[in-house]
Amino acid sequence: MAPTLLSQPAPLSAASSAIPRVDSALRLSLHPVPNRRAVVDGAWWPYSRDATAELPDLIAAVDRLLDRATLRIGVHRDTWQNIPRRIPARGRQVRIGWFRHTDPRVITLIFAAGEPVVLLVIPPGTAAGAAKATLKLTAQNIAGMAVDDMLTLASLPPDPALRAGTAGSPARGENEGGSVIAQEATGAGDRPPVPA
């Protein structure tokens, strides 16, 4: 089944909740029902690496598409700029946690109930063809596929913003959570750890 393209907000019904969605205005693909065997639940192609500018629209879209309220977001510290501690959202403040022990290619959204959502972040400067191929690929059943395999299949080049050694280096500290002395690196097929 082909993904649904959304151009304007539409309420979710029980029948439509299992249909993968691609929101072309936000450049987001998302499986409304997370597959725990998949490493990611979709992909997001932000316009920049400025977290303050990009995250509010992502929060609003994910809240609308999943009919849930995002409470916290986990990002990799070295891949984003201007990371705020909180972002105002409808009726609440969404806490932003930044970490160095997670995969820098993903972002994690956490809700009050239900499983977290992990999105593959397509680098902002990616050519449109490769980015759209990645969005379409992640809207399909990708269970059992590692992030590297998805990027290869979609012909997405490595992100130049990621420095060598960043993804596997142990974290020395985190915000709002004290110090982390050693952290086991995430395996290629494992879901990233959920920020507390």
Side-chain angles (χ1 to χ4, degrees):
M1 178 182 273
T4 304
L5 291 174
L6 298 177
S7 57
Q8 57 185 336
L12 287 178
S13 70
S16 69
S17 66
I19 301 170
R21 304 190 182 303
V22 176
D23 187 331
S24 57
L26 186 64
R27 307 189 314 182
L28 170 71
S29 68
L30 180 64
H31 277 277
V33 179
N35 180 344
R36 294 302 93 196
R37 291 186 10 212
V39 175
V40 296
D41 302 300
W44 175 44
W45 183 24
Y47 291 94
S48 74
R49 292 280 186 189
D50 185 339
T52 300
E54 299 293 337
L55 291 178
D57 289 339
L58 177 66
I59 293 166
V62 171
D63 286 359
R64 178 178 50 84
L65 290 171
L66 296 182
D67 197 24
R68 293 192 269 171
T70 304
L71 297 180
R72 186 169 172 108
I73 296 180
V75 299
H76 192 278
R77 177 68 182 115
D78 296 336
T79 57
W80 291 93
Q81 302 162 351
N82 302 319
I83 303 172
R85 286 188 171 268
R86 300 183 192 291
I87 291 183
R90 183 183 293 170
R92 67 193 183 284
Q93 294 281 319
V94 177
R95 291 177 55 186
I96 311 301
W98 53 92
F99 308 92
R100 286 197 168 105
H101 69 276
T102 60
D103 187 334
R105 302 168 295 183
V106 300
I107 186 170
T108 305
L109 293 91
I110 297 152
F111 311 94
E115 295 288 330
V117 168
V118 180
L119 297 174
L120 173 65
V121 178
I122 301 167
T126 302
K132 288 177 182 177
T134 306
L135 289 169
K136 287 180 184 177
L137 174 67
T138 58
Q140 301 170 12
N141 183 3
I142 53 173
M145 258 187 161
V147 171
D148 290 333
D149 296 335
M150 285 180 250
L151 298 176
T152 300
L153 191 58
S155 300
L156 193 66
D159 185 356
L162 300 179
R163 293 182 299 249
T166 301
S169 63
R172 288 286 175 202
E174 297 177 359
N175 74 321
E176 301 177 15
S179 177
V180 176
I181 302 303
Q183 200 56 259
E184 196 172 308
T186 302
D190 298 336
R191 288 184 69 84
V194 177

